[in-house]
C-alpha cells in the first residue's frame, strides 16, 4: 500500500512540473490531423489513455477507502483525499482539444473541454497570421529527474487595435511532451499558405479566398 500511494503522489509531482507519467513511461499528448481539405482543416485530441488511467487510480483509492472504512475511520482519508486528487487531475489533464480552420466560414475555432468546463473561441480567419509551437523545459526542483522538452500550439493573431500589433492565442494552458503540437503547427501553416496562395506567412497576411 505505501508503494502504491507513493507512485500516485509521484504522478502528481510529475504532472505539476508539466509532464505526466507513471513509472518511467511518459504520457504524451497526441494531437492528430482529422480532416485536411482545401476548405477545412480539423485537428484534435481526446486523451482516452490518460482518462482511463486516472479513473483507475481514483476508483482504486475509493475502493481501498471503502474496505478500510469497515474497520477504521482512516478509510475516509483514502476516499476524500485520493479520490479528490484523482478528480482534480482529470479536470486538469483530461482535456479534449479541437482546432477548426474553415475557409468557407472564414473562421478559426478553438475548443477545449474537461469534466469541469467547456470553452470555445472563434477568431476571423483573416486575423490569423500563423501557427507556432511554443516550447519550454519541465520543472525539476530537486534535480532528481531529467528535464523534458514541453510544447503547445499557439496562434499569432492581430490584436484588433488597428496598429498592426499582434498577440498570442494558445490552444491550451498546459504544455506537454510529444510532437503533436509541432505536427499540427506544420499542417496549419501549410493549409494557410495554400489558402492564401503564398509561400510565406508574414505579419500582414494576404486576404483569404472567399
Amino acid at each position: 500500500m505505501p508503494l502504491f500511494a507513493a507512485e500516485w503522489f509521484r504522478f502528481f509531482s510529475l504532472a505539476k512540473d508539466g509532464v505526466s507519467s507513471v513509472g518511467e513511461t511518459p504520457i504524451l499528448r497526441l494531437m492528430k490531423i482529422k480532416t485536411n481539405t482545401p476548405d477545412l482543416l480539423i485537428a484534435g485530441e481526446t486523451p482516452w489513455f490518460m482518462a482511463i488511467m486516472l479513473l483507475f487510480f481514483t476508483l482504486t483509492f475509493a475502493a481501498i477507502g471503502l474496505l478500510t472504512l469497515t474497520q477504521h475511520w482512516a478509510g475516509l482519508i483514502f476516499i476524500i483525499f485520493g479520490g479528490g486528487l484523482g478528480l482534480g487531475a482529470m479536470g486538469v489533464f483530461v482535456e479534449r482539444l479541437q482546432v477548426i480552420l474553415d475557409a468557407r466560414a472564414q473562421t478559426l475555432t478553438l475548443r477545449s473541454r474537461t469534466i469541469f468546463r467547456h470553452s470555445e473561441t472563434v477568431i476571423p480567419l483573416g486575423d490569423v497570421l500563423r501557427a507556432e509551437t511554443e516550447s519550454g523545459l519541465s520543472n525539476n526542483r530537486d534535480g532528481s529527474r531529467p528535464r523534458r522538452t514541453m510544447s503547445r500550439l499557439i496562434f499569432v493573431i492581430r490584436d484588433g487595435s488597428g496598429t498592426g500589433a499582434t498577440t498570442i492565442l494558445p490552444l491550451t494552458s498546459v504544455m506537454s511532451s510529444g510532437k503533436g503540437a509541432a505536427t499540427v503547427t506544420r499542417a496549419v501553416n501549410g493549409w494557410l499558405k495554400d489558402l492564401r496562395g503564398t509561400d510565406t506567412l508574414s505579419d500582414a497576411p494576404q486576404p483569404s479566398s472567399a
Side-chain angles (χ1 to χ4, degrees), residues 6-89:
E7 188 66 18
W8 178 242
F9 288 111
R10 181 176 179 273
F11 167 82
F12 278 99
S13 175
L14 289 170
K16 181 176 60 177
D17 289 342
V19 60
S20 304
S21 69
V22 173
E24 299 300 326
T25 304
I27 300 170
L28 310 179
R29 304 200 75 149
L30 300 175
M31 289 198 68
K32 297 179 180 179
I33 305 300
K34 299 186 176 181
T35 301
N36 191 349
T37 68
D39 292 331
L40 187 66
L41 177 68
I42 301 176
E45 174 204 18
T46 303
W48 293 114
F49 180 79
M50 173 74 82
I52 292 172
M53 184 191 66
L54 285 173
L55 181 61
F56 169 77
F57 275 103
T58 302
L59 292 178
T60 299
F61 262 82
I64 293 172
L66 289 173
L67 291 174
T68 306
L69 192 60
T70 61
Q71 301 176 355
H72 197 276
W73 63 267
L76 286 174
I77 297 176
F78 280 92
I79 297 174
I80 297 174
F81 192 63
L85 282 177
L87 288 176

Side-chain angles (χ1 to χ4, degrees), residues 126-203:
D127 288 342
V128 179
L129 302 179
R130 61 186 176 275
E132 293 183 357
T133 301
E134 182 181 23
S135 300
L137 294 175
S138 61
N139 295 326
N140 188 9
R141 297 182 181 88
D142 57 8
S144 62
R145 298 185 301 273
R147 302 181 72 184
R148 292 179 171 87
T149 300
M150 316 297 295
S151 62
R152 65 177 177 176
L153 174 67
I154 62 174
F155 288 89
V156 181
I157 62 174
R158 292 171 173 171
D159 68 355
S161 64
T163 63
T166 62
T167 187
I168 298 299
L169 180 64
L171 173 61
T172 176
S173 61
V174 179
M175 286 191 174
S176 59
S177 56
K179 299 179 179 180
T183 298
V184 176
T185 297
R186 288 192 298 269
V188 168
N189 288 336
W191 188 87
L192 289 173
K193 289 177 183 178
D194 292 342
L195 180 69
R196 294 166 178 168
T198 181
D199 292 330
T200 59
L201 296 174
S202 66
D203 287 345

